Amino acid sequence: MTRDLSALDDCLAAVDADGYLVDADGTDSNQRYLSGFDAPDPFVTLYVPGEGIHLLVSSLEYGRATKVDGVASVARLVDYDHRDNVTEHGSVAGRARTVATFLADHAVGSAAVPADFPLGVADALRETGVDVTADRTDVVTGVRATKSAEEVEHVREAQRANEAAMAAAEELMREATVEAGVLHHDGAVLTSERVKEEIEVTLLRHGCGLDETIVACGADAADPHDRGSGPLSADEAVIVDIFPRSKATKYHADMTRTFCKGNPSAEMRRRFDVTDEAREAALAALEPGVTGADVHDAVCDVYEDAGYPTLRSDPETEVGFIHSTGHGVGLDVHERPRVSPDGEELRPGHVVTIEPGLYDPSVGGVRIEDLVVVTESGYENLTDYPVEFVL
Amino acid sequence: MTRDLSALDDCLAAVDADGYLVDADGTDSNQRYLSGFDAPDPFVTLYVPGEGIHLLVSSLEYGRATKVDGVASVARLVDYDHRDNVTEHGSVAGRARTVATFLADHAVGSAAVPADFPLGVADALRETGVDVTADRTDVVTGVRATKSAEEVEHVREAQRANEAAMAAAEELMREATVEAGVLHHDGAVLTSERVKEEIEVTLLRHGCGLDETIVACGADAADPHDRGSGPLSADEAVIVDIFPRSKATKYHADMTRTFCKGNPSAEMRRRFDVTDEAREAALAALEPGVTGADVHDAVCDVYEDAGYPTLRSDPETEVGFIHSTGHGVGLDVHERPRVSPDGEELRPGHVVTIEPGLYDPSVGGVRIEDLVVVTESGYENLTDYPVEFVL
């Protein structure tokens, strides 16, 4: 994978560190990005400018680690008497002893580390004389924000699976009958759980997994973090938010649609239309050089002009537009850049969501979310799914 | 949930700390266990002896957080001017400012934290005058090792789903035909990926998810961490290792079986039988008061008596029995206690795997894994699945 690590070099120079050290489990996206290695167990990644990536892994991971493209060296814990260190000093300080010797082998006396580096190992490393500085700028996350063409393709592939899953969810609700105000399918009440199961099975069939999905109806949908549960009601808005991860590439997609089986209230329909208008305003504002804050402001403008509160107009509001406009998507489903009041400058290769929404427990919730990549000339919408409300 | 936090009280007394602080995302099992709160976003948990749990959450999480059983108080980031702190000091030091004020509100001037507490926030907290000590004993993980009856039921439920998934995998291979030495099903080559998909769909249908499954054949199976890929061969051993997590309770199960479609070699058959003997020896050794090391030794005895190398007989061996006998299972799929050379004393309520295995790239791999709970009188095997090799 093509990666421009010059920002990391600058970061190391700025804090006068010899290398950048990550000690994390295999799910840590910064470590995965830097190392290119995907392991189920914790391992250690050391970046040294001019040398590249050195890995320190368990013996079980060694064979696969040596096959990773572009890694400068791979060592095993056993090469540094790790078991003896743990026996003598305990698991945390023992791990630090092992890592300290590994650092010394690479002439690294001072290390910059991610802000979420484990404190126990950091303090124990300091006790052995290693200088450890937490990088509060989150430099690797910043590097990850700009995607290569290959990474954009990974996101696009996950988004195709996402669309298949959304179609499966929509079809279930479209086919449903309404009995006493509640959706029924295949002779049973159609629940949020049933729709989520269909979404997740569809994603699996398309090579993606995910841990959570949101299928939230009525008042549930008025809480943006409620995943939804129980029977789906007719004439109410149902928010479907799907954020799968490709099993092969580990890159995510993210999309939300809001549906209504039956007849939405006039107010709910208005909220849907205003939210779609806010989405279009955000997209119209999106181009390289503007900030995530600018795009967020475009959404707030639409909502406030339509008479709905936002956190910009009222920081204490619990109804209206009560979250950010979007976020970066990549190895993590939420990553930089932010499309929010403190959103940074947007650049070509940034992959972000645009997801305005309105919430009020007495009315329900609506959210419409597209996934886009910023390009040299503007943006490309990676989302190929209609924006329709009433089924 | 019934939890005995006296060990946590002792830990705080030992390091003279006013409280135990966790700052982690919603997937952190220690935080989930302590707080009882399940949130998609990062949040802060503070345990103060005599008071209980105080939570600090985003406004989006506030409503749900206030509904968590047995929480002493819930505050919002906005209550501590979090946005201004981040604007002025950046995301890491700003978060520390917010947390410092929250700690002061609860009269906590010195905090013990987990060993994996984020270094950036810890250092920034120290700069504000808070005394932060990493707990290298991993006290909460130790508390979590002993499961309540309710937690054992959660594991048991996940294990039922696991057995359904294993049955689906076994059935696919049993129904397969053999053409030119390769398994076929439904007119197509039967691959590792196809079997994994069936496993994961079955788990979803039973309320469980998982991110990884191992279906590894032949030489792939000789690497205990290889997840397997490509066509499944006849007459070779196929390791199927499934470790799902219940979506409702978040508790895991874990089970491995090894199958062979066709005729295994005499050596492979012998390895299967010896491994099953090792499994039985481990179970026979299992009772409260023995250590995980004792149980691991029972497995090594069987393998070494049968002429196979172990890491005990040869720490450098890359073939034979090259991993630990087992590990705890709960909110994490790998947690304490260890059933390994440094395994601690086993106590009633410990849920552990027993998973001996033999590996050699020139022969293949075999592993048989049961999930058991230590009881007052011995153990109960939570696994209800036959141990059979040839399909």
Side-chain angles (χ1 to χ4, degrees):
Chain A
M1 189 165 66
T2 324
R3 298 168 311 176
D4 175 4
L5 296 182
S6 57
L8 182 52
D9 291 339
D10 295 345
C11 164
L12 293 174
V15 299
D16 199 20
D18 304 320
Y20 188 81
L21 176 71
V22 185
D23 180 7
D25 69 26
T27 62
D28 184 87
S29 295
N30 283 340
Q31 173 152 272
R32 189 189 297 268
Y33 183 86
L34 260 189
S35 68
F37 186 43
D38 169 21
D41 278 350
F43 64 101
V44 172
T45 300
L46 173 66
Y47 170 76
V48 178
E51 298 180 15
I53 298 294
H54 303 285
L55 297 181
L56 175 62
V57 304
S58 76
S59 296
L60 279 179
E61 313 285 6
Y62 181 73
R64 277 192 317 291
T66 57
K67 293 176 195 135
V68 177
D69 271 353
V71 164
S73 80
V74 183
R76 297 171 304 168
L77 292 170
V78 69
D79 300 331
Y80 295 102
D81 301 321
H82 182 57
R83 185 168 293 281
D84 292 345
N85 288 333
V86 167
T87 302
E88 191 170 348
H89 302 283
S91 60
V92 175
R95 186 167 184 89
R97 296 279 172 142
T98 304
V99 172
T101 316
F102 168 72
L103 291 174
D105 252 10
H106 295 287
V108 170
S110 62
V113 301
D116 64 355
F117 191 90
L119 173 67
V121 173
D123 278 350
L125 275 174
R126 287 166 173 170
E127 287 166 17
T128 70
V130 178
D131 187 28
V132 180
T133 306
D135 161 38
R136 295 183 186 174
T137 68
D138 220 355
V139 61
V140 178
T141 311
V143 171
R144 281 169 46 208
T146 301
K147 271 72 179 175
S148 68
E150 183 187 353
E151 290 178 285
V152 173
E153 280 314 299
H154 294 338
V155 171
R156 196 190 302 271
E157 278 172 34
Q159 177 58 17
R160 292 294 89 82
N162 204 353
E163 288 152 8
M166 186 66 80
E170 180 179 339
E171 191 180 347
L172 269 185
M173 287 188 276
R174 196 179 283 280
E175 292 173 352
T177 56
V178 177
E179 298 173 30
V182 172
L183 272 57
H184 284 66
H185 193 280
D186 274 345
V189 169
L190 185 61
T191 60
S192 165
E193 290 81 354
R194 174 73 185 86
V195 176
K196 285 193 261 193
E197 185 181 305
E198 199 60 32
I199 288 168
E200 295 180 25
V201 168
T202 305
L203 290 174
L204 275 178
R205 299 292 190 200
H206 287 78
C208 285
L210 89 175
D211 208 41
E212 300 285 354
T213 316
I214 294 172
V215 177
C217 175
D220 284 354
D223 175 345
H225 276 193
D226 195 311
R227 290 121 180 184
S229 60
L232 299 177
S233 299
D235 309 332
E236 302 259 21
V238 179
I239 290 180
V240 181
D241 187 351
I242 315 179
F243 33 97
R245 186 177 75 145
S246 160
K247 286 174 177 285
T249 69
K250 314 296 183 190
Y251 281 78
H252 289 80
D254 198 352
M255 172 171 59
T256 305
R257 290 294 183 261
T258 302
F259 302 108
C260 179
K261 176 80 177 183
N263 299 299
S265 67
E267 174 57 22
M268 201 65 236
R269 194 184 293 265
R270 177 168 189 260
R271 286 169 177 245
F272 184 90
D273 291 341
V274 172
T275 296
D276 197 32
E277 191 186 328
R279 179 184 68 93
E280 287 173 357
L283 293 175
L286 198 65
E287 60 181 3
V290 305
T291 66
D294 296 332
V295 175
H296 181 69
D297 277 335
V299 167
C300 292
D301 288 347
V302 171
Y303 279 137
E304 290 168 21
D305 287 351
Y308 295 107
T310 73
L311 288 174
R312 185 180 72 174
S313 64
D314 174 8
E316 297 284 321
T317 186
E318 294 183 350
V319 298
F321 178 47
I322 53 175
H323 55 62
S324 298
T325 292
H327 53 82
V329 173
L331 288 171
D332 286 327
V333 67
H334 292 117
E335 59 179 47
R336 284 169 60 185
R338 287 178 290 273
V339 186
S340 66
D342 55 354
E344 59 215 271
E345 184 181 323
L346 297 174
R347 296 187 205 141
H350 281 178
V351 172
V352 296
T353 67
I354 297 295
E355 48 178 311
L358 282 178
Y359 309 88
D360 186 331
S362 69
V363 184
V366 56
R367 182 165 66 254
I368 307 173
E369 176 184 26
D370 281 357
L371 183 62
V372 307
V373 56
V374 180
T375 61
E376 295 290 345
S377 58
Y379 73 92
E380 181 195 354
N381 197 329
L382 302 174
T383 316
D384 181 17
Y385 204 90
V387 177
E388 288 179 70
F389 186 35
V390 179
L391 300 180
Chain B
M1 188 165 70
T2 323
R3 298 168 311 176
D4 176 4
L5 296 182
S6 58
L8 182 52
D9 291 339
D10 294 346
C11 163
L12 293 174
V15 299
D16 200 20
D18 303 322
Y20 188 82
L21 176 71
V22 184
D23 180 7
D25 70 24
T27 62
D28 183 88
S29 295
N30 283 341
Q31 173 154 272
R32 189 188 296 268
Y33 183 86
L34 261 189
S35 69
F37 186 44
D38 170 20
D41 278 352
F43 63 101
V44 173
T45 300
L46 172 66
Y47 170 76
V48 178
E51 296 180 15
I53 298 295
H54 303 284
L55 297 180
L56 176 61
V57 303
S58 77
S59 296
L60 278 179
E61 312 286 6
Y62 182 73
R64 278 191 316 291
T66 57
K67 293 176 195 133
V68 177
D69 271 353
V71 164
S73 79
V74 183
R76 298 172 302 170
L77 293 169
V78 68
D79 300 331
Y80 295 102
D81 301 322
H82 183 58
R83 184 168 294 280
D84 292 343
N85 288 333
V86 167
T87 302
E88 190 169 348
H89 303 283
S91 61
V92 175
R95 186 167 183 89
R97 296 281 172 139
T98 304
V99 172
T101 317
F102 168 72
L103 291 174
D105 251 10
H106 294 287
V108 170
S110 62
V113 302
D116 64 356
F117 190 90
L119 174 67
V121 173
D123 278 350
L125 275 174
R126 287 166 172 169
E127 286 166 16
T128 70
V130 177
D131 187 28
V132 180
T133 306
D135 161 39
R136 296 182 186 175
T137 68
D138 220 355
V139 60
V140 177
T141 311
V143 171
R144 281 168 48 208
T146 301
K147 270 73 178 173
S148 68
E150 182 187 353
E151 290 177 287
V152 173
E153 281 313 300
H154 294 337
V155 172
R156 196 190 302 272
E157 277 172 33
Q159 177 57 18
R160 292 295 88 83
N162 204 351
E163 288 152 8
M166 186 66 79
E170 180 178 341
E171 192 179 347
L172 269 185
M173 288 188 275
R174 197 179 282 281
E175 292 171 352
T177 55
V178 177
E179 298 174 30
V182 172
L183 272 57
H184 284 66
H185 193 280
D186 275 344
V189 169
L190 185 61
T191 61
S192 167
E193 290 81 355
R194 174 72 186 87
V195 176
K196 285 192 262 193
E197 184 182 306
E198 198 60 32
I199 288 169
E200 296 180 24
V201 167
T202 305
L203 290 173
L204 275 178
R205 299 292 190 200
H206 287 78
C208 284
L210 88 175
D211 208 41
E212 299 284 355
T213 316
I214 294 172
V215 177
C217 176
D220 284 354
D223 175 345
H225 276 193
D226 195 309
R227 289 118 182 186
S229 59
L232 299 177
S233 299
D235 310 332
E236 301 258 22
V238 179
I239 290 180
V240 181
D241 188 349
I242 316 178
F243 33 96
R245 187 176 75 145
S246 161
K247 286 175 177 285
T249 71
K250 313 297 182 188
Y251 281 78
H252 289 80
D254 198 352
M255 172 170 61
T256 305
R257 290 293 182 263
T258 302
F259 303 108
C260 179
K261 176 80 177 183
N263 300 300
S265 67
E267 175 56 23
M268 200 65 236
R269 193 184 292 265
R270 176 167 188 261
R271 285 168 178 248
F272 185 90
D273 291 340
V274 173
T275 297
D276 197 32
E277 192 187 327
R279 179 184 67 93
E280 287 174 357
L283 292 175
L286 197 65
E287 60 182 2
V290 306
T291 66
D294 296 332
V295 175
H296 182 69
D297 277 335
V299 168
C300 291
D301 288 346
V302 170
Y303 280 136
E304 291 168 21
D305 287 351
Y308 295 107
T310 72
L311 288 174
R312 186 180 71 174
S313 64
D314 174 8
E316 298 285 322
T317 186
E318 293 183 351
V319 298
F321 178 47
I322 54 176
H323 55 63
S324 297
T325 292
H327 53 81
V329 173
L331 288 171
D332 286 327
V333 67
H334 292 118
E335 58 179 46
R336 284 170 57 185
R338 287 178 290 272
V339 186
S340 66
D342 55 355
E344 59 215 90
E345 184 181 322
L346 298 173
R347 295 188 207 140
H350 281 179
V351 172
V352 296
T353 67
I354 298 295
E355 48 178 311
L358 282 177
Y359 309 88
D360 186 331
S362 68
V363 184
V366 57
R367 182 165 65 254
I368 307 173
E369 177 184 28
D370 281 357
L371 182 63
V372 307
V373 56
V374 180
T375 61
E376 295 290 345
S377 58
Y379 73 91
E380 181 195 354
N381 197 329
L382 301 173
T383 317
D384 182 16
Y385 204 91
V387 177
E388 288 180 72
F389 186 35
V390 179
L391 300 179

